[in-house]
Amino acid sequence: MQRLTPTLRHDGVGIELIALIRTILAATKEISFRVSQAELAGILGSTLDENIQGETQKKLDVVTNQLLKDMLLECEFVRAIASEEEPNSIAATPNAPFVVAFDPLDGSSNIDINGAIGTIFTIYQARGDVSDSDPKQFLQGGRKQVCAGYVLYGASTKLVMTTGGPTRGYTLDRTHGGYLLTTAEFAVPSSTQMFAINMANQRFWQAGFKAYVDDLLAGETGKRGKRFNMRWNAAMVADVHRTLEQGGLFAYPSDNRDKEKRAKLRLLYEANPMAMLIEHAGGKAYTEQTAILDIEPTDLHQRVAVILGSQDEVETCLSYLADNQ
Ligand code: AFP
């Protein structure tokens, strides 16, 4: 099996970006070990603090965020970083070529139950028109990402990443400590019978999305004329990974639970990287109105609705929303 660096060279990735990617992956290898030993080390459970999102921080959220911060703030190729766990972006190496945003541990609610968790990361060229510490370094459209990826800490530690070409999959080989190419190119099947939606929010959805899900549940006796099945990992990394492997529709639509927060998933370090991975595997990734990668960001931690996965199913879902405007 081919190692990571020759694959990146084959994909035409420059040595500076390769070095930066290797730095991020070095942190993920350490995170993979830390999460596997967390219970023995007594770092499961929550802290007494809340992050910028107003969410109680898990001890591992803090540990993994610090690991990535420490490694990236010292990296000569990183001008600034942004994190789900940090209120503001942080300047790193002046005049460095790239900026990096990340969700250090996505799926925090799974940490204490040994459920699926992962790290999501995205890399942009640094901007020359704003200062290093200006959050505008990260207010770049998703199609400007030079690299997007996640590491899923499951039964095996899996890296899924694109540097502008195909979405490729790698598995951490613990014998020699490197990521080996195990999926040359993901290809999301265009149709599916699988959906990943948190049904507990059903009463808060807009009419069009309710109608779409009602017809999924009606199965072969309803308008769709086929039976669907459901999964919900409560970790975007795990649900997106299944979608890349087997197809499916993943959706976290807007809802009216909280007038101040009509969507849950964050654009910069969740929706945009996942949208790039899905699009580069032949899938589709939308909010309820537009392609996620076409959104012009306005805030570091802005949230968006997400409907992504098998192209035909995403288009069917969007048609219900359009018909119920
Ligand atoms: P946490 O990292 O705070 O657990 O949030 C995970 C997430 O952002 C995304 O990974 C999941 O798909 C989604 O939230 C789960 O949300 P619910 O807990 O509302 O189902």
Side-chain angles (χ1 to χ4, degrees), residues 51 55-56 61 84-85 103 105-110 120 197-198 201 232-239 250 252 257 264-266 270 303:
N51 62 14
E55 297 158 347
T56 301
D61 283 328
E84 181 195 47
E85 302 300 333
D103 179 354
L105 211 54
D106 174 64
S108 303
S109 62
N110 288 339
I120 307 171
I197 300 170
N198 182 344
N201 299 326
W232 188 248
N233 277 285
M236 190 180 192
V237 283
D239 286 316
F250 168 90
Y252 210 115
R257 277 179 289 176
K264 167 139 197 202
L265 301 181
R266 276 60 54 126
E270 288 177 320
R303 300 168 186 265

Side-chain angles (χ1 to χ4, degrees), residues 137-181:
Q137 282 288 351
F138 295 91
L139 303 188
Q140 303 187 48
R143 296 198 189 282
K144 291 183 178 172
Q145 294 174 97
V146 295
C147 175
Y150 62 77
V151 175
L152 175 58
Y153 309 110
S156 65
T157 292
K158 302 274 292 190
L159 163 68
V160 174
M161 182 171 68
T162 175
T163 51
T167 296
R168 302 189 191 284
Y170 307 79
T171 302
L172 180 61
D173 175 348
R174 295 193 189 281
T175 55
H176 81 280
Y179 282 99
L180 299 182
L181 183 68

Side-chain angles (χ1 to χ4, degrees), residues 272-318:
N272 262 337
M274 294 308 200
M276 184 175 184
L277 292 166
I278 287 286
E279 281 202 3
H280 286 244
K284 201 174 181 91
Y286 265 60
T287 62
E288 291 153 339
Q289 296 84 23
T290 179
I292 288 170
L293 295 178
D294 290 339
I295 296 173
E296 279 308 315
T298 55
D299 179 80
L300 206 55
H301 299 290
Q302 78 184 81
R303 300 168 186 265
V304 293
V306 173
I307 302 170
L308 62 77
S310 295
Q311 173 152 336
D312 296 352
E313 195 57 35
V314 171
E315 288 170 355
T316 299
C317 178
L318 293 172

Side-chain angles (χ1 to χ4, degrees), residues 223-243:
K223 181 180 169 189
R224 300 299 305 276
K226 65 179 183 178
R227 178 172 171 71
F228 284 81
N229 200 356
M230 192 198 112
R231 294 284 184 274
W232 188 248
N233 277 285
M236 190 180 192
V237 283
D239 286 316
V240 168
H241 192 67
R242 185 194 54 258
T243 302

